[in-house]
Amino acid sequence: MLRHPGHHPRRPTRRPRPSRHHASRRVRTRHPHLPHRPQPTRPLTDPGLCHGWAGLYQTIRHIARDARSPELAKHLPDLATAFAHRARNVPVSPGLLAGAAGIALTLTTAAVPETPTCGWDACLLTN
């Protein structure tokens, strides 16, 4: 049998398992009266401002400040603790959105109960 350089012996093909998305689509097809449940999102793993824990904290802090009810503000200390725990893995980038500068500014903001007067996060347009 002649083999060319890119030849690989045949491997038995496995049938791929259906993903959760396909399974939930089958259930919705069979039971259309059930409400649509969005697919679970990935957990936050990044400590940065742009798509991470620092951005989550800053956004929720602004929402809690503007909320009519103090209910959301009660969760800020726990969220700050979770953020500080995850901020140990600081990226090597010094940048504001995805780097150490944004994380440090957010940690400084989380450390004091009053809103900072310098307005460093105005560029995030969450005010």
Side-chain angles (χ1 to χ4, degrees):
M1 177 197 292
L2 294 175
R3 294 187 181 169
H4 55 83
H7 175 73
H8 296 287
R10 269 198 132 170
R11 296 181 191 157
T13 56
R14 285 191 331 194
R15 207 168 172 194
R17 290 177 47 191
S19 67
R20 284 189 212 165
H21 175 71
H22 293 294
S24 66
R25 189 173 357 145
R26 278 197 316 265
V27 169
R28 281 196 316 270
T29 304
R30 291 180 188 154
H31 306 284
H33 61 281
L34 292 176
H36 173 68
R37 185 175 59 128
Q39 294 299 312
T41 57
R42 294 181 304 171
L44 286 177
T45 57
D46 184 69
L49 265 175
C50 194
H51 295 102
W53 281 91
L56 177 68
Y57 179 82
Q58 281 301 111
T59 303
I60 292 186
R61 183 178 177 124
H62 282 291
I63 293 170
R65 184 192 65 204
D66 295 341
R68 292 187 177 141
S69 168
E71 194 63 35
L72 189 57
K74 293 177 186 177
H75 299 285
L76 281 175
D78 293 334
L79 184 59
T81 302
F83 163 55
H85 175 71
R86 283 154 180 90
R88 294 178 189 167
N89 302 325
V90 177
V92 292
S93 164
L96 177 68
L97 289 179
I103 294 169
L105 285 167
T106 305
L107 284 171
T108 304
T109 301
V112 294
E114 58 274 346
T115 302
T117 57
C118 65
W120 71 266
D121 61 349
C123 63
L124 302 176
L125 303 176
T126 56
N127 304 30

